[in-house]
Amino acid sequence: MAQNRIYLCLAHMSGEEQKFIKEAFDTNWVVPLGPNVNGFEADLEAFVGEDKRVVALSAGTAAVHLALIACGVKAGDEVLCQSFTFCASANPITYLGAKPIFIDSEADTWNMDPELLEKAIIDRIEKTGKKPKAIVPVYLYGMPAKLEEIMAISRKYDIPVIEDAAEGFGSKYDGQMCGTFGKFGVLSFNGNKMITTSGGGALICPDAEAKNEIMFYATQAREAYPYYQHEQIGYNYRMSNICAGIGRGQMTVAEEHIAHHKHLCDLYRELLKDVEGITLHENPSERFDSNFWLNTVLLDASLQVKGQEHAYETAVQGAVGGAAGVTHASSSLHTDCEPNANVEAMRVALDKAGIEARPLWKPMHKQPVFADAPAYLNGVSEELFKCGLCLPSGPCVTDKDACYIVEQIKANIIR
Ligand SMILES: *Cc1c(COP(=O)(O)O)cnc(C)c1O
């Protein structure tokens, strides 16, 4: 894609992708199985380690869906899910007729608060007489969650963890890859993620047997007969051999991409260090090793940004990430929970300067579609949502771009 504009996280090809795709065409493997799928899965297994097995799928959302099925989630069940996330962590719970129970975040990592998690488990058991079926923590913008605490609670109550590591590809906690702590780990290779297959995802599985079962459900649940025999409801969720070819090419530059995102974090730290009222989100301690998929900042509520008195006066065309889909026209300029005026003013100012910045994910417990879902809250995710902004962090963002971005941020602050 030609660009002058600086995007959040634009896909970047290694050049190797075409070789794998050409091979798929040359050998007539243009189907949802084949050598690239097997090769990509082997690459991913080597990358995440811990003797895990990996299934390549059509999307990260599909990976969440199949992991829930493998954890036995059925209609009427409850699933504990981080509230501060993209909707794809929670939507598949509803596909199964199950109910998401939202858990707020802690301020260090911005991810699932272990204290609230345990409180919620105790309260759900008391209220429903049943244990929730799974725990879905998320690694927001690549930051690992407090995994020691979350895994201890998982063991104590014997509830499996499905790690939504869609944004945490290559992030580590205590030196171990995110996505390998829980029973299952979700990866995404959407166009704007750490690596891409144009669209796709994967599920990290505990063993070959679990991998087999996931593949069964991902390929329409076909029984072993000479004709189509179905005893379960299946899905068409397997990754195609063409997409997997892109994935194999991307794996040759995965480490480079991750290093670049971390390098941009170092740059932003240096460039923002004297800017009062703006705080870069960083690893809270040595145990956390974020891939910094997106670098994010918080703007103090008292920070004065040019034009903030006019924030939200005009409706936006489409939604954030609108290029990727169709949106309904909005019925109002405001909702009951939105980023502060100074954050919106900064977003608009950067946009005018050719820089894509974006608010943080709006917590699921504040989404109208989940108005009825029980939520265990402490105010953290709502406060972060109101103050936060994502800055360009992808492989196409140069050092010069980062300097320009911070220059523009400074130029829009009223001293
Ligand atoms: C991107 C993303 C997903 C879904 O991945 P897709 O491949 O787009 O379906 C799930 N969870 C989180 C937190 C994500 O950011």
Side-chain angles (χ1 to χ4, degrees), residues 59-62 64 85-86 88-89 138 164 166-167 188-190 193 200-201 361:
T61 312
V64 175
T85 185
F86 179 54
S89 310
V138 184
D164 183 345
E167 301 174 7
S188 168
F189 311 118
N190 206 338
K193 294 289 159 73
W361 301 124

Side-chain angles (χ1 to χ4, degrees), residues 143-156:
M143 182 63 70
K146 292 196 170 168
L147 277 159
E148 182 183 344
E149 292 86 342
I150 291 171
M151 292 313 299
I153 293 166
S154 161
R155 282 189 295 272
K156 180 171 171 187

Side-chain angles (χ1 to χ4, degrees), residues 71-91:
C71 288
V73 175
K74 297 211 165 60
D77 287 338
E78 292 189 340
V79 174
L80 303 151
C81 182
Q82 182 165 321
S83 181
F84 199 19
T85 185
F86 179 54
C87 63
S89 310
N91 282 347

Side-chain angles (χ1 to χ4, degrees), residues 21-102:
I21 294 169
K22 182 170 184 307
E23 209 169 88
F25 277 96
D26 290 349
T27 54
N28 213 21
W29 280 105
V30 187
V31 281
L33 79 170
N36 280 337
V37 177
N38 298 337
F40 185 40
E41 287 178 345
D43 288 350
L44 290 169
E45 285 169 4
F47 182 83
V48 301
E50 310 297 326
D51 204 25
K52 296 282 184 175
R53 294 292 165 267
V54 177
V55 186
L57 299 166
S58 56
T61 312
V64 175
H65 192 179
L66 294 182
L68 291 166
I69 291 172
C71 288
V73 175
K74 297 211 165 60
D77 287 338
E78 292 189 340
V79 174
L80 303 151
C81 182
Q82 182 165 321
S83 181
F84 199 19
T85 185
F86 179 54
C87 63
S89 310
N91 282 347
I93 299 168
T94 69
Y95 302 168
L96 292 165
K99 188 150 99 178
I101 309 292
F102 291 117

Side-chain angles (χ1 to χ4, degrees), residues 109-157:
T109 73
W110 300 5
N111 294 315
M112 186 179 271
D113 182 340
E115 277 177 35
L116 274 183
L117 170 65
E118 181 158 27
K119 211 173 118 189
I121 293 172
I122 293 167
D123 194 50
R124 296 324 296 170
I125 294 172
E126 200 179 285
K127 285 205 167 81
T128 69
K130 276 201 323 188
K131 257 192 325 192
K133 278 289 180 64
I135 302 167
V136 185
V138 184
Y139 307 138
L140 228 54
Y141 308 114
M143 182 63 70
K146 292 196 170 168
L147 277 159
E148 182 183 344
E149 292 86 342
I150 291 171
M151 292 313 299
I153 293 166
S154 161
R155 282 189 295 272
K156 180 171 171 187
Y157 294 93

Side-chain angles (χ1 to χ4, degrees), residues 54-299:
V54 177
V55 186
L57 299 166
S58 56
T61 312
V64 175
H65 192 179
L66 294 182
L68 291 166
I69 291 172
C71 288
V73 175
K74 297 211 165 60
D77 287 338
E78 292 189 340
V79 174
L80 303 151
C81 182
Q82 182 165 321
S83 181
F84 199 19
T85 185
F86 179 54
C87 63
S89 310
N91 282 347
I93 299 168
T94 69
Y95 302 168
L96 292 165
K99 188 150 99 178
I101 309 292
F102 291 117
I103 312 292
D104 214 328
S105 294
E106 35 79 11
D108 296 335
T109 73
W110 300 5
N111 294 315
M112 186 179 271
D113 182 340
E115 277 177 35
L116 274 183
L117 170 65
E118 181 158 27
K119 211 173 118 189
I121 293 172
I122 293 167
D123 194 50
R124 296 324 296 170
I125 294 172
E126 200 179 285
K127 285 205 167 81
T128 69
K130 276 201 323 188
K131 257 192 325 192
K133 278 289 180 64
I135 302 167
V136 185
V138 184
Y139 307 138
L140 228 54
Y141 308 114
M143 182 63 70
K146 292 196 170 168
L147 277 159
E148 182 183 344
E149 292 86 342
I150 291 171
M151 292 313 299
I153 293 166
S154 161
R155 282 189 295 272
K156 180 171 171 187
Y157 294 93
D158 193 25
I159 303 173
V161 167
I162 299 169
E163 301 170 74
D164 183 345
E167 301 174 7
F169 180 80
S171 296
K172 291 176 186 162
Y173 177 81
D174 283 347
Q176 184 181 331
M177 280 289 180
C178 284
T180 65
F181 287 82
K183 184 164 184 192
F184 292 101
V186 169
L187 298 176
S188 168
F189 311 118
N190 206 338
N192 59 357
K193 294 289 159 73
M194 185 57 81
I195 62 164
T196 185
T197 59
S198 70
L203 190 63
I204 303 171
C205 302
D207 51 37
E209 193 189 339
K211 172 172 176 169
N212 225 34
E213 197 62 6
I214 294 297
M215 288 205 288
F216 169 79
Y217 281 102
T219 53
Q220 305 286 27
R222 289 171 297 187
E223 304 293 337
Y225 292 89
Y227 42 85
Y228 282 84
Q229 171 81 6
H230 301 287
E231 297 173 11
Q232 308 290 336
I233 296 293
Y235 302 86
N236 182 10
Y237 278 172
R238 200 77 166 108
M239 180 178 280
S240 86
N241 199 48
I242 300 295
C243 291
I246 304 175
R248 290 179 85 180
Q250 289 276 289
M251 284 306 281
T252 66
V253 290
E255 295 288 3
E256 262 172 62
H257 280 196
I258 294 163
H260 186 73
H261 285 246
K262 291 181 179 179
H263 165 69
L264 284 170
C265 176
D266 292 338
L267 257 183
Y268 281 127
R269 179 187 310 116
E270 190 53 34
L271 294 165
L272 286 165
K273 72 171 189 284
D274 300 325
V275 183
E276 230 172 280
I278 296 193
T279 313
L280 181 71
H281 186 39
E282 300 198 57
N283 289 317
S285 80
E286 303 273 291
R287 305 184 75 177
F288 301 85
D289 179 8
S290 174
N291 64 12
F292 292 106
W293 169 61
L294 292 186
N295 283 285
T296 53
V297 289
L298 296 176
L299 276 61

Side-chain angles (χ1 to χ4, degrees), residues 2-7 10 350-357 401:
Q3 68 162 121
N4 289 317
R5 202 172 150 75
I6 305 170
Y7 289 94
L10 209 57
L350 294 175
D351 186 62
K352 284 187 181 140
I355 299 161
E356 183 190 21
D401 290 339

